Every structure is written in structure tokens, then in C-alpha cells.
Amino acid sequence: MPLSEHEQRMLEQMERALYAEDPKFASALEGSGLRTYTRRRVYQAVAGFLVGIALLMAGMVAKQVWLSVVGFLVMLGCAVLAVTGWRKAPKPGEQPAGGPHAQRQPRQKRSMMDRIEQRWQRRRDEQGGH
């Protein structure tokens, strides 16, 4: 059963207060969260990048162009993984993008027309229902 909006706001306030009071304790409660996962992913990408360099050099020494191309592609892929993983990693004490409950209750995407319609309705309601 998903939490109501009020309950979610209260929980977020309590989490922020916990981080403000005792960041070490809060991060210990976090355990192996998103930050640990992304850090591990970046480390794996760096290791893969080094393997790619080794393949590139081995292809050059053995005069095997295909091996050098594979090494370059491995390097490129790992560099992209490292950069995207580094950008997505939340800072210590910061909530992941979307808040703490984003995985449980995905936000519905609304079309542009729905948003415009809602704004129009709000304006009409604010003006007295004309």
C-alpha cells in the first residue's frame, strides 16, 4: 500500500532532519544504496578502460588492427559508463533523484496538453469559477 502524499512529506522531513543531526549515523543506515552501486560501477568502468588500453597496445604490438579496434571500443564504452555513473551518483547525505520513494511509486508522465489544461482550470478556479 503506497504512502499518501502527506506521509511521504513527513518521512522526507524526518530523513532530512536525521541527516542534519547525525550524517554519519544516517549514512550508516543507508547501507549499500545507490551511491555505493554507482561508485562500484565507476570503478568497474575504470578497470575496463585499463583493459581496453591493454588490448589497444597489444593490437599495435601484434600488428592486429582488429584487436586495436576492439580495445578502443572497450575504452570508449567504459568511458561512457564511468561518466554517466559519476554524474548520477548522489552526494553524501543527498537523496537520489526523484526522492526516496521514487522507485515504489513511479510518477505518471503527463502530456503537455494535460498540464496546460490543468493550469487553465486552476486559473478559472482562482478567478471564481467564470
Side-chain angles (χ1 to χ4, degrees):
M1 180 169 165
L3 298 174
S4 70
E5 287 184 30
H6 177 68
E7 291 171 332
Q8 287 179 358
R9 275 185 266 138
M10 293 295 291
L11 184 59
E12 288 172 4
Q13 287 176 354
M14 291 184 335
E15 288 175 354
R16 281 193 297 263
L18 178 63
Y19 274 111
E21 269 186 41
D22 195 357
K24 279 187 176 181
F25 179 67
S27 62
L29 288 178
E30 213 172 47
S32 61
L34 181 62
R35 191 173 74 229
T36 306
Y37 170 74
T38 52
R39 185 181 308 142
R40 186 179 322 129
R41 181 177 166 192
V42 169
Y43 290 152
Q44 289 171 348
V46 168
F49 188 84
L50 295 174
V51 168
I53 290 176
L55 287 173
L56 181 73
M57 293 298 185
M60 291 174 67
V61 169
K63 296 189 176 158
Q64 298 290 326
V65 176
W66 66 271
L67 189 58
S68 295
V69 170
V70 168
F72 176 76
L73 292 175
V74 168
M75 287 170 50
L76 183 65
C78 288
V80 168
L81 283 176
V83 169
T84 58
W86 191 262
R87 285 184 183 167
K88 289 180 183 177
K91 307 285 185 277
E94 181 180 79
Q95 290 297 329
H101 306 291
Q103 293 162 345
R104 280 191 232 156
Q105 191 175 22
R107 183 177 168 177
Q108 295 177 351
K109 291 194 175 194
R110 298 181 298 186
S111 70
M112 184 177 73
M113 288 303 292
D114 289 339
R115 291 190 307 258
I116 292 172
E117 190 175 319
Q118 283 185 346
R119 287 180 193 158
W120 179 261
Q121 192 66 32
R122 271 196 311 248
R123 286 183 190 144
R124 288 184 63 179
D125 292 343
E126 287 172 0
Q127 292 177 356
H130 295 342

